[in-house]
Amino acid sequence: QVKLVESGGGLVQAGGSLRLSCAASGLSFSGKAVAWFRQVSGKEREVIATIRTSGGIYYDDTVKGRFTISGDGTGNTVYLQMNSLKPEDTAVYYCNAGSRTFGRIGAYWGQGTQVTVSS
């Protein structure tokens, strides 16, 4: 059974940093695209960063230069380092994986982790 578990969310002041983790069981990230999405209540879930271990990184313009997506080298965990956080980054952050095609939504989602940035 495939399971993705996000962790690392929390409450932080504007300008602060958080590092989110997405840990997989029953699935290796090797060769697959892993993406971070976020969703604000009442709005659609949007992709903000994607990585594929075989090559390729994407950032949405809203996070480019502030967030960094990376893998741990084992194919089991992907991180999202979030710096210079803004109140508009407040959302539930989800990890998505399963597709080998960069930019295509995978079949698996984590449960989400709340990030709240206070002004």
Side-chain angles (χ1 to χ4, degrees):
Q1 183 179 357
V2 175
K3 191 172 183 181
L4 303 181
V5 178
E6 302 99 333
S7 60
L11 173 64
V12 64
Q13 287 189 332
S17 298
L18 286 172
R19 189 176 80 157
L20 304 184
S21 299
C22 174
S25 59
L27 173 76
S28 172
F29 289 153
S30 180
K32 297 182 181 64
V34 183
W36 284 98
F37 286 70
R38 66 185 180 188
Q39 187 170 25
V40 176
S41 180
K43 295 190 177 181
E44 288 189 1
R45 197 172 293 187
E46 57 179 9
V47 59
I48 57 170
T50 305
I51 188 169
R52 189 172 60 187
T53 55
S54 55
I57 290 181
Y58 160 83
Y59 295 103
D60 184 78
D61 285 345
T62 58
V63 305
K64 196 174 294 181
R66 300 187 298 123
F67 291 10
T68 303
I69 189 170
S70 63
D72 70 343
T74 68
N76 295 324
T77 304
V78 166
Y79 303 102
L80 185 68
Q81 177 67 43
M82 306 188 296
N83 298 329
S84 302
L85 283 161
K86 305 175 182 179
E88 51 264 43
D89 294 318
T90 296
V92 179
Y93 285 69
Y94 297 90
C95 177
N96 174 267
S99 173
R100 292 188 175 274
T101 303
F102 197 83
R104 181 172 294 176
I105 295 177
Y108 307 105
W109 291 93
Q111 82 289 352
T113 185
Q114 176 71 47
V115 172
T116 303
V117 184
S118 63
S119 57

